[in-house]
Amino acid sequence: MSAEAVNTTVATAADRSAAVEQYIMHHVMDSHQWSLPFLNIKLPSFLSLHGLMVILCAAFLVLLFGVLYRKEPGAPRGLANFLELFVLFIRDSIAVPSLGAADGARMTPLFCSFFFFVLGLNLMGLVPAFATATSNVSVTAALALITLSFMIFGSMYKNGVGGFFKSFIPHGVPLPILFLLVPIEFAGMFIKAFALTIRLFANMLAGHIVIFSLLGLVYIFGALAAPAIALALGIYFLELFVCFLQAYIFTLLSAMFIGQMYHPAH
């Protein structure tokens, strides 16, 4: 192959690589355009694509639990049985162990909302016509802010303002060490909310970038990169598992963080 042909091939690969990079960033970043098969919908300035995904997911959950779900006398069947399987798991394995029997039962609706909402947003991102709102740090930060609000105001409501601030003072610690430890404990409350934000956002964003990158190899190198399709398919099924895992982790950590503030003595 001549030097000119080699240079042309390299230039073509570089152009295709740049096109793939632009395509990936377009699909993982938020925008005001919804790209559907054979149709591009321009969204109004007050509504972004990820915001639309949030609304669609919320509407679906309202339809699922408000209309389709039917609680019948006796043992649940069909859809009700399937949904109650998750609800009971969240109540008995997440809420009650983290907050106790009374508070756990009372807070179960919140944690069920967290789980199903995060799961719904995650799964929507695996459908080609939709986008992953949980790959947007603004969305995950808003969810984490709800947890932080319960950590602060829920603790104040349960233990009083004085009890809330006393939760940052460990028992039996010498006074000089408290001057160092109390600010760290107070900052840790916000660090926990930040960790919730970044954990969900980074995991969902990274998975989609990997899938698009593997498929992009086929566009760049042609048939030589065909095995990348199998890898992308494997990552896709792994992402399906990650969707459930991240919804569970977000719900579990939220319950643990709120429980630590509600019951600081434990």
Side-chain angles (χ1 to χ4, degrees), residues 182-196:
V182 170
I184 294 176
E185 290 285 335
F186 185 77
M189 179 177 61
F190 296 94
I191 293 173
K192 291 172 182 176
F194 179 75
L196 280 177

Side-chain angles (χ1 to χ4, degrees), residues 21-98:
E21 179 181 357
Q22 183 178 4
Y23 179 86
I24 293 174
M25 296 308 297
H26 172 74
H27 279 77
V28 299
M29 300 296 290
D30 201 4
S31 67
H32 289 280
Q33 181 172 305
W34 189 11
S35 298
L36 296 172
F38 311 109
L39 178 65
N40 288 327
I41 300 177
K42 186 174 179 57
L43 301 175
S45 58
F46 61 85
L47 180 64
S48 69
L49 178 59
H50 289 164
L52 178 61
M53 297 300 108
V54 169
I55 294 174
L56 291 177
C57 182
F60 173 76
L61 291 179
V62 170
L63 175 65
L64 181 63
F65 285 95
V67 179
L68 300 180
Y69 173 82
R70 288 288 183 271
K71 188 172 180 63
E72 301 175 353
R77 295 176 298 175
L79 179 63
N81 184 38
F82 179 73
L83 294 176
E84 287 194 17
L85 177 68
F86 288 96
V87 172
L88 292 177
F89 174 78
I90 293 170
R91 185 194 66 185
D92 297 337
S93 300
I94 296 179
V96 172
S98 299

